[in-house]
Amino acid sequence: MPACTLNHTAATLTDGSELTIPWWHLDSGRDGEAFLVIAAQHGNEVQGCEVIRRFRAVCERELTAGEVFLVPFANLPALRHRRSHISLGPEQPYGEDSGHNMNRTWPGDPEGNDTERVVHALHEAVVRHCSRALDLHSWTRFIATATLARRNGGLSEEMARASAIRFIQWRNPPTSQTGGKTIGALFNDSGRGSITIELAPQWVIREREVRAGLRAAMNLAKLFGMIEGEPEQLEGPCAEMGPETADHEDRYFELTAPCEGLFVEAGLQTSEHVEEGQLLGHIIRAGDLETVEIRAPAPGYLYKYGAFRENSDVGLPGQHPWADEGDCVAAILQP
Ligand SMILES: [Zn+2]
C-alpha cells in the first residue's frame, strides 16, 4: 500500500497574510513517473475536485510505480470567491482577468499579485517535481466535455488518445511568450507530457463527468505504468477537431437559429450521438408563435447543444434559451 500524506503549501500574500493550499502525495516506493493531477485553477470549475478525491482512493489501492501529486483546490482563494479568478465580479468575463487568470501565470512569481504568489508556491512545492500532468477544467454546459492537447506525435497526443473522452480538440502551442504560461505549456514545452480536460459544465458537479474524468486519470496512470491493467476504451470512435478549422470543417455542422424565438431542447445531452434528421429541438417563433423544428443535418456527436451566446460561462443571460436569429443552437462533429 502506498503511503498517502496530506501536505500544505504556504504562500505569503500581498497583504502579508499567509494562505495554505492542501494537497495529497502518494508514493509507491518504486521508480516511475511523478504524475500531477490538478483541479480548480478556475474557482467555478469544480468537477475535477471530486475526480481527484476518487483518484486518490484508486491510487491508495493500486499504485505500483512512481508518485502521484494531487491538488484538488489549486486556486483556493477563487473557490472561496466562487468565481473563475479572485479579481472577477458578477458577469465579468474570464478575459478581464487583471493578471489573475491562474492558468496564464505559471510558474508564478513570489513578488507578484496574489494569484502569481499562490502559483509560485505550488510550483516550488509540487509542480516542478512532476513529469506528467492532467489539468482538470470545466467549460460551459453548451459545449461537450473535451480533451485539449497537442497533436505533436509525442506525449501530449498519446495522453489525449488514452483519455477516452469523446472529443479531442488539438491545439497549437501558444505563440506569445510574454508573461506566464498555462500549466499545459509549462509541461509540454519542457518535454513533459500534459493534457487538459474540460469537464462540462462549470459551477456544478455531475456524476457522468466525474466518472469520465476518473477514467481518464486512471487510463493515464495505466499508460504511464503506474497502475496495472489496460486503459478502458471509449465506446465508439472519438471525434477530433483542430488545430486548424480546415482540419475538421468538412465533418463539422453548426446549426444556428433560423429565426428569433425561444429554443426548446429535445432532451439530448452534449456528447450524445444523433442520427441524420433527428429532432434536436424547436423554436417557438417570436412573431407568429409557430413551431420551427431544428433537425440534425448529418449523423455525428453533439459538440454543442442549447441556445447560448457570449459569456454563457459567467452570466445567466448568456445561457438564456431566447435565441436571436443566428445564435448557435447545436453543433455536430463527425469522427
Ligand atoms: Zn478553466
Side-chain angles (χ1 to χ4, degrees):
M1 287 280 283
C4 178
T5 56
L6 172 67
N7 303 275
H8 291 88
T9 291
T12 303
L13 304 182
T14 46
D15 66 0
S17 65
E18 196 164 88
L19 174 84
T20 55
I21 308 276
W23 51 278
W24 287 305
H25 178 234
L26 293 98
D27 191 347
S28 69
R30 290 184 171 177
D31 287 349
E33 301 299 340
F35 182 25
L36 169 69
V37 188
I38 186 168
Q41 288 202 67
H42 298 134
N44 58 334
E45 303 179 12
V46 289
Q47 307 227 48
C49 311
E50 172 63 7
V51 171
I52 289 177
R53 190 191 70 87
R54 295 189 196 183
F55 185 55
R56 175 205 163 192
V58 170
C59 291
E60 280 189 306
R61 292 192 308 269
E62 300 185 29
L63 189 70
T64 56
E67 306 167 65
V68 176
F69 293 80
L70 303 175
V71 187
F73 297 155
N75 198 342
L76 185 58
L79 284 160
R80 288 177 169 146
H81 187 53
R82 299 184 180 85
R83 299 190 193 284
S84 174
H85 328 317
I86 53 171
S87 55
L88 291 186
E91 299 192 359
Q92 208 178 349
Y94 273 50
E96 296 175 14
D97 55 58
S98 309
H100 284 282
N101 182 344
M102 178 177 272
N103 205 25
R104 295 280 187 279
T105 62
W106 294 91
D109 179 354
E111 307 293 325
N113 68 34
D114 283 350
T115 302
E116 292 167 320
R117 289 172 182 228
V118 171
V119 164
H120 173 78
L122 282 174
H123 184 261
E124 289 305 299
V126 182
V127 173
R128 69 188 178 93
H129 305 297
C130 297
S131 58
R132 303 283 184 271
L134 170 61
D135 184 21
L136 295 169
H137 288 252
S138 294
W139 59 26
T140 174
R141 79 167 180 89
F142 302 98
I143 303 178
T145 290
T147 294
L148 317 183
R150 291 187 186 179
R151 195 175 58 191
N152 55 5
L155 272 168
S156 184
E157 179 171 344
E158 194 180 11
M159 290 170 69
R161 297 194 190 284
S163 68
I165 298 292
R166 179 70 63 199
F167 294 97
I168 299 177
Q169 199 176 98
W170 301 115
R171 297 250 173 123
N172 286 320
T175 46
S176 159
Q177 291 300 325
T178 54
K181 294 181 174 202
T182 66
I183 204 165
L186 186 78
F187 275 73
N188 287 320
D189 289 350
S190 58
R192 303 176 283 172
S194 177
I195 59 171
T196 295
I197 301 179
E198 298 279 357
L199 297 165
Q202 306 146 313
W203 305 104
V204 298
I205 297 151
R206 297 243 169 102
E207 186 62 24
R208 183 179 79 149
E209 264 59 40
V210 170
R211 287 185 185 183
L214 180 62
R215 178 171 66 181
M218 290 175 64
N219 280 356
L220 291 174
K222 289 172 181 173
L223 177 72
F224 305 147
M226 303 174 75
I227 64 178
E228 301 290 323
E230 289 298 310
E232 193 187 318
Q233 301 296 324
L234 194 62
E235 246 180 72
C238 84
E240 302 176 27
M241 63 197 311
E244 311 302 336
T245 308
D247 295 324
H248 60 263
E249 62 188 349
D250 58 334
R251 297 179 284 113
Y252 184 72
F253 304 88
E254 188 158 293
L255 286 86
T256 54
C259 57
E260 183 195 12
L262 189 73
F263 181 69
V264 182
E265 297 171 19
L268 304 172
Q269 292 190 72
T270 53
S271 300
E272 263 190 72
H273 190 269
V274 295
E275 302 298 334
E276 182 174 353
Q278 185 173 336
L279 185 69
L280 303 180
H282 60 263
I283 292 174
I284 306 172
R285 192 155 60 192
D288 58 7
L289 303 181
E290 282 296 311
T291 297
V292 179
E293 289 185 342
I294 306 288
R295 292 184 179 274
Y301 292 98
L302 269 182
Y303 181 62
K304 296 180 183 174
Y305 190 52
F308 72 104
R309 59 210 63 77
E310 245 188 340
N311 299 329
S312 65
D313 49 356
V314 293
L316 293 174
Q319 308 181 13
H320 198 292
W322 188 263
D324 290 331
E325 185 179 334
D327 276 357
C328 182
V329 293
I332 294 166
L333 184 68
Q334 297 181 328

